[in-house]
Amino acid sequence: MKNIKLLTVFVMLFLLAGNTIFSQNATKKGFAFLELYTSEGCSSCPPADELMGRIQKQYKDSNVYVLSYHVDYWDKQGWKDVFSNAANTKRQYDYAKFMEKEPVYTPQLIINGKIDYIGSQETAVQNGIHSALSKPAVTEIALEANQQGDKLNLNYNINKISKNNRLYVAVVQKSAKSNVKRGENANRVLSHFQIVRSFNSFALTGNPKGNVSIFLPKGFNPKDFEIIGFVQDMNSGIILGADRAIFTQNLL
């Protein structure tokens, strides 16, 4: 009888430990952070842009984040992309160094800073998203935003910080259309989604909580834009965690 009681106690402790571990793992959700490098001057890019729009709609309000960076190296090929930015090109080249993959190309899609895909290949991209979502995030981040005119104040809370981590905050325009007059996409009206309009970088000093401020692009409003923050390991380029900012107050 004594042995039976001891066995019963052992089983109960084992089940309790197992439930505790399961509960801890269940709270660590996976995420997929998609960064598309695109251009209005590239004839291969519109299908990738449209795919990002479908993905954004499919995974709306989930742990899937889409950012489209318009690069500037196509601007001398007959059409200047109105959304292009040299900083976007630099970020793409930084990834080329991280992943040891050169030359860069469009449409290139990078998921969680780890693996790149041709941005228009839907099956491969969807598989990449599912794979990313199946792995728990290394870092959890929460953002609260307060708009004051053309300025945005952000409170962040990050559960885990290393000395080589940085916080990035992107102001993302959800959609736009462009009437392209020249270049490879001449006489086409192109649809764009999740366009990076402002990109900001902040050092993390080890304090899990903090406040940063950014200036907002002209025409910003919480309905047509969103604020996406993420933590990146600057040694490897890997994205450790991401979140959409919650607006706590809106003073226009």
Side-chain angles (χ1 to χ4, degrees):
M1 182 65 69
K2 184 177 180 181
N3 289 339
I4 293 175
K5 288 183 178 179
L6 288 174
L7 179 61
T8 302
V9 172
F10 174 78
V11 170
M12 291 179 65
L13 290 173
F14 177 79
L15 291 175
L16 180 60
N19 287 335
T20 301
I21 293 170
F22 177 78
S23 298
Q24 290 174 345
N25 288 337
T27 62
K28 295 182 179 180
K29 297 179 181 179
F31 73 101
F33 192 82
L34 282 63
E35 296 179 88
L36 176 71
Y37 292 88
T38 184
S39 173
E40 291 181 347
C42 162
S43 61
S44 301
C45 288
D49 295 328
E50 292 165 6
L51 175 57
M52 294 304 104
R54 294 196 299 274
I55 288 173
Q56 175 67 8
K57 184 177 180 180
Q58 177 184 355
Y59 294 98
K60 184 180 180 181
D61 300 324
S62 71
N63 290 336
V64 176
Y65 309 91
V66 179
L67 279 71
S68 293
Y69 302 84
H70 287 240
V71 297
D72 68 344
Y73 49 81
W74 280 94
D75 285 359
K76 296 180 181 179
Q77 305 300 316
W79 177 255
K80 187 180 186 307
D81 187 334
V82 66
F83 298 113
S84 66
N85 192 314
N88 296 339
T89 300
K90 181 183 182 303
R91 182 163 176 81
Q92 188 181 24
Y93 273 94
D94 287 342
Y95 268 126
K97 294 177 182 177
F98 283 133
M99 298 189 297
E100 297 181 348
K101 284 192 173 183
E102 293 191 56
V104 298
Y105 63 92
T106 54
Q108 183 183 32
L109 179 72
I110 300 171
I111 297 182
N112 286 10
K114 298 178 181 179
I115 305 174
D116 72 315
Y117 303 83
I118 295 174
S120 56
Q121 294 186 348
E122 185 165 3
T123 299
V125 170
Q126 290 283 9
N127 287 340
I129 292 172
H130 295 155
S131 176
L133 289 173
S134 70
K135 302 176 180 65
V138 174
T139 298
E140 295 177 1
I141 174 174
L143 295 171
E144 291 185 349
N146 178 286
Q147 183 182 351
Q148 296 180 322
D150 63 351
K151 189 177 180 181
L152 193 74
N153 297 317
L154 282 165
N155 293 316
Y156 64 82
N157 190 346
I158 303 171
N159 73 328
K160 185 179 179 181
I161 299 174
S162 297
K163 63 180 181 179
N164 58 326
N165 293 169
R166 288 190 75 83
L167 171 66
Y168 287 91
V169 178
V171 181
V172 179
Q173 185 175 344
K174 294 180 181 178
S175 64
K177 290 185 180 293
S178 292
N179 189 355
V180 178
K181 302 292 187 181
R182 297 178 297 278
E184 290 189 2
N185 291 311
N187 304 314
R188 296 183 62 182
V189 176
L190 302 183
S191 297
H192 304 306
F193 302 91
Q194 295 299 105
I195 311 152
V196 175
R197 298 297 306 276
S198 172
F199 197 68
N200 308 271
S201 173
F202 303 95
L204 293 171
T205 60
N207 190 338
K209 296 182 179 181
N211 178 275
V212 296
S213 297
I214 63 174
F215 286 100
L216 295 166
K218 185 178 179 180
F220 174 87
N221 66 80
K223 179 182 176 182
D224 298 323
F225 290 73
E226 63 180 1
I227 308 298
I228 298 176
F230 62 97
V231 177
Q232 186 167 28
D233 185 320
M234 301 312 297
N235 285 347
S236 65
I238 294 174
I239 308 299
L240 304 175
D243 190 33
R244 291 180 184 86
I246 297 173
F247 281 81
T248 57
Q249 188 178 9
N250 186 32
L251 302 176
L252 296 176

